[in-house]
């Protein structure tokens, strides 16, 4: 078994071994994975954080040893919306987005085996559980980020990538997809019981969970739909303030925190 780490800003992860295949998620800088299959041009992986199966280009794969994979400290994340990290060996910079993992972070040093970087931005420890207020403040950082299927950054993010990353930055672990996230937490019987930070899930005509958002005060919700936006929310679902129509029909509200 072999292992890898993302050393680029963002690496697209595909459903199949093809550059034209659907992007199902993304790796952010510093995130690790297990290699399942190597097909020369494409590598099948399972992401370490959420056990997500996907394919990445072999050109974007950086191998690490089993020892490094086992012992790596991935608790420190960049809390800067956008920042750069400096490769101290090549004296080149790589842009990072919020949520990038600063592996084995100590002082300003980010290093593993033959990889060495310096990071001077603000950081956050993703093992420390923060308040609901912090969750909401983090969510607002992504406001106006464009919607991107499979995306996990302020330059493109989908609904479940948004909730997963916001919660991760505040010390709470969620799986990757909305259909997986809905399995967590305690269901609420009435919309009136919901408080900011709760997750609302929405289904399609077939009854499948297809959308998720974070509940705010004043009967509002922040979610990724076209862009990360704030809309009105009630027991029917999300009322799109632009179209004046319901865009998503409510299935269940879950209390995660």
């Amino acid at each position: 078994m072999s292992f890898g780490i993302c050393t680029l800003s963002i690496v697209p992860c595909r459903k199949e071994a093809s550059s034209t295949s659907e992007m199902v998620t993304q790796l952010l800088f510093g995130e690790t994975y297990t290699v399942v299959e190597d097909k020369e041009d494409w590598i099948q992986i399972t992401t370490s954080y959420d056990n997500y199966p996907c394919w990445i280009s072999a050109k974007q794969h950086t191998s690490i040893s089993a020892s490094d994979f086992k012992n790596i400290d991935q608790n420190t994340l960049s809390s800067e919306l956008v920042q750069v990290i400096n490769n101290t060996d090549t004296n080149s910079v790589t842009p990072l987005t919020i949520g990038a993992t600063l592996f084995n972070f100590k002082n300003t040093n980010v290093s593993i085996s033959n990889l060495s970087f310096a990071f001077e931005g603000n950081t956050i420890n993703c093992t420390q559980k923060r308040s609901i207020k912090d969750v909401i403040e983090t969510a607002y950082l992504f406001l106006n980020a464009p919607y991107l299927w499979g995306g996990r950054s302020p330059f493109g993010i989908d609904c479940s990538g948004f909730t997963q990353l916001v919660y991760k930055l505040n010390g709470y672990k969620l799986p990757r997809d909305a259909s997986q996230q809905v399995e967590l937490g305690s269901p609420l019987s009435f919309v009136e019981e919901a408080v900011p930070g709760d997750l609302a899930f929405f289904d399609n005509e077939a009854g499948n969970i297809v959308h998720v958002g974070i509940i705010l005060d004043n009967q509002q919700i922040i979610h990724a739909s076209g862009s990360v936006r704030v809309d009105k929310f009630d027991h029917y679902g999300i009322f799109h303030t632009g179209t004046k129509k319901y865009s998503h029909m409510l299935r269940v509200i879950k209390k995660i925190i």
Side-chain angles (χ1 to χ4, degrees), residues 4-201:
I5 189 168
C6 177
T7 55
L8 299 173
S9 307
I10 297 169
V11 168
C13 302
R14 308 287 181 180
K15 186 175 182 179
E16 305 291 344
S18 168
S19 59
T20 60
S21 177
E22 170 189 354
M23 184 175 75
V24 290
T25 191
Q26 293 175 328
L27 287 169
L28 303 184
F29 180 92
E31 293 183 324
T32 57
Y33 50 88
T34 299
V35 175
V36 177
E37 182 181 357
D38 188 342
K39 295 180 67 173
E40 294 188 6
D41 292 338
W42 290 91
I43 295 175
Q44 186 179 25
I45 69 167
T46 301
T47 60
S48 299
Y49 182 72
D50 49 20
N51 296 314
Y52 208 80
C54 50
W55 292 83
I56 64 170
S57 169
K59 297 176 182 178
Q60 297 175 324
H61 165 64
T62 298
S63 178
I64 59 174
S65 69
S67 175
D68 282 337
F69 179 82
K70 179 181 179 181
N71 298 312
I72 191 171
D73 181 345
Q74 295 184 287
N75 294 334
T76 304
L77 309 179
S78 171
S79 60
E80 304 262 7
L81 196 63
V82 181
Q83 185 54 273
V84 297
I85 193 168
N86 182 63
N87 186 314
T88 55
D89 295 321
T90 63
N91 198 31
S92 60
V93 296
T94 298
L96 301 188
T97 59
I98 188 170
T101 299
L102 306 172
F103 45 87
N104 298 333
F105 185 77
K106 187 174 183 180
N107 298 323
T108 61
N109 298 318
V110 180
S111 62
I112 187 171
S113 292
N114 61 338
L115 300 172
S116 182
F117 301 86
F119 181 80
E120 297 183 356
N122 294 321
T123 64
I124 199 166
N125 188 318
C126 65
T127 65
Q128 296 179 356
K129 290 181 168 54
R130 290 170 171 77
S131 68
I132 290 174
K133 179 183 177 182
D134 292 323
V135 171
I136 300 305
E137 288 179 352
T138 303
Y140 270 102
L141 291 176
F142 290 86
L143 201 61
N144 297 319
Y147 181 88
L148 176 66
W149 181 272
R152 294 179 64 230
S153 89
F155 295 109
I157 198 162
D158 64 20
C159 65
S160 55
F162 169 61
T163 52
Q164 184 192 52
L165 195 52
V166 167
Y167 267 64
K168 180 180 181 180
L169 286 159
N170 288 280
Y172 301 92
K173 189 171 184 178
L174 298 181
R176 179 60 180 87
D177 293 338
S179 60
Q180 299 169 317
Q181 293 176 10
V182 74
E183 300 297 326
L184 304 181
S186 304
L188 302 181
S189 300
F190 303 100
V191 169
E192 291 75 16
E193 296 177 341
V195 298
D198 290 343
L199 295 182
F201 295 89

